[in-house]
Amino acid sequence: MSPIPKKILCIGAGYVGGPTMAVIAAQCPQYKVTVVDINAARIKAWQTDDLPIYEPGLSDVVKKARDRNLFFSTDIEGNIKEADIIFVSVNTPTKTFGEGAGKSADLQYWEKTARDILKTSESDKIIVEKSTLPVRTAAALERILHPNDKGIHFDIVSNPEFLAEGTAINDLLNPDRVLIGSRESARGKKARQEIVDIYTNWVPRDRIVTSNIWSSELSKLVANAFLAQRISSINSISALCEQTEANITEVSYAIGRDSRIGARFLNASVGFGGSCFKKDILNLVYIAESYGLYEVAEYWEQVVKMNEYQERRFVRSMLKALFNTVAGKKIALFGFAFKANTGDTRESPAIFITRRLFEEKANIVISDPQALDNARMDLDDIVDRISFEADPYKAAEGAHAIAILTEWSDYKSLDYQRLYNSMHKPAFLFDGRNIIDRDNLFKIGFNVYSIGNPPRTHFEEP
Ligand SMILES: NC(=O)c1ccc[n+]([C@@H]2O[C@H](COP(=O)([O-])OP(=O)(O)OC[C@H]3O[C@@H](n4cnc5c(N)ncnc54)[C@H](O)[C@@H]3O)[C@@H](O)[C@H]2O)c1
């Protein structure tokens, strides 16, 4: 192996593999970076201007490096052979069957990749765990790859990805930290240094944190668990605010000003979504259970339960406000993505809310600037009985209620007078993200319900 590896391969061209490798290629012209995937349609889309994922700033970064030193390919075997460093960023969803179903990580894609690497490789390689994995996965990976009859040595490095969808490019260009873990042996440390050397092309050295491999694997799960815990904590308090006339925005602000607590991730909402939080916490729960640490498992599981409670509570408050029935009523859902600035709808609270309102026989119209295609797929069993409308003004025509489910900035600046005029009266607005000016909407004539605030209605609450 050459001392300065020139060929980087990433297996998995998804929300992590695509943006991460685009940034590495754009920042490090001296490396040839190739991204492969079994999904040929996804690879094809990466080769066009119609990228397979929406992420602000992504297309500029891709355009800068594509066909210069960034390539997308379906030739997995050929590229494994060539590569010096292989990042693996395949999906690691929650297992849906067998032992650990509903909690543990499904590592079948991961293991298949490891076996592909073993089968195809002809030279030593560094294998980088980019996917989020249970702590001690590197040990399993080493068991698959070593010993082998080819005399090839694989060094395993853990480099979990902390990007957040919606801000991925900025997160990658200006990360709070990059974490790189390895075995503490001389070989392990040398492999770790090769990965450090990639990032030092644009990340200040003091932001690159190195650790042992288990700390690195575990830290990723713990980071997601802590972030989700903050959301569940503030959401639990939003329920209390609604009963006591305390205002959740004021409470968040007041507590967030404590530098020990900090202001970020304290917005009350309809609940967290995304492909990672729930699956990673449940994975942590499963790991704790498997070590017999039941109290630890229960403690973290509560974060997920609180999130489910918040979603249920939102639907219940809609039903109660709409005189205990939504049957036949037109409800416009503003936003389906799990958060703003992404088209990703995986585990979006909007999925649960839509399904519950559908069960209650509401006439649902879904609007979203980026996520309608994914929404159609999430709801494929009921897709014919739901409407999809990109234009929020059209979506709200004749509606009894609007429910804001994603904090798209567009929704803050809509002409709410125009929306109100076109709606059925009395008109209701449920703000699941606390983004609208309640007083203003109340003055227009809306009955306003926003998370963590007492309702503002033009009639006595029942
Ligand atoms: N999405 C996020 O915000 C985020 C952030 C940090 C970490 N992660 C973690 O990164 C990993 C990937 O997440 P993602 O959101 O990019 O997932 P994704 O589903 O968008 O992408 C994974 C890709 O891997 C491909 N793949 C699966 N098996 C393969 C194989 N054997 N060979 C080649 N390609 C294969 C799939 O076709 C898919 O395109 C997960 O472990 C996730 O937990 C995700």
Side-chain angles (χ1 to χ4, degrees), residues 14-16 37 42 91-92 131-132 161 165 276 279 346:
Y15 285 84
V16 167
D37 203 294
R42 221 171 200 186
N91 36 331
T92 51
S131 300
T132 304
E161 185 47 61
E165 287 175 32
C276 297
K279 99 173 156 66
R346 292 178 289 181

Side-chain angles (χ1 to χ4, degrees), residues 92-96 99-106 134 279 282-283 286:
T92 51
T94 303
K95 211 173 160 202
T96 53
E99 185 76 22
K103 278 189 187 156
S104 85
D106 183 348
K279 99 173 156 66
L282 291 175
N283 188 0
Y286 183 75

Side-chain angles (χ1 to χ4, degrees), residues 99-112:
E99 185 76 22
K103 278 189 187 156
S104 85
D106 183 348
L107 296 178
Q108 61 171 309
Y109 309 103
W110 174 260
E111 187 174 335
K112 159 127 191 7

Side-chain angles (χ1 to χ4, degrees), residues 78-96:
N79 280 293
I80 288 176
K81 268 194 196 109
E82 272 202 3
D84 299 300
I85 299 176
I86 303 182
F87 287 78
V88 184
S89 76
V90 300
N91 36 331
T92 51
T94 303
K95 211 173 160 202
T96 53

Side-chain angles (χ1 to χ4, degrees), residues 238-239 242 269-271 306-322 331-334 349-350 352-354 356-357 402-406 429-434 449-452:
S238 73
E242 287 165 29
S269 71
V270 70
M306 185 56 63
N307 199 49
E308 291 164 355
Y309 163 74
Q310 189 76 346
E311 293 175 347
R312 283 198 307 274
R313 209 169 70 76
F314 187 75
V315 176
R316 239 185 261 139
S317 95
M318 287 182 77
L319 280 172
K320 186 169 165 231
L322 291 163
I331 314 259
L333 302 182
F334 281 14
F352 172 82
I353 291 164
T354 305
R356 275 292 295 116
L357 292 172
I402 294 171
I404 300 175
L405 302 185
T406 310
L429 193 134
F430 300 91
D431 184 358
R433 296 285 177 171
N434 271 339
Y449 294 76
S450 51
I451 299 266

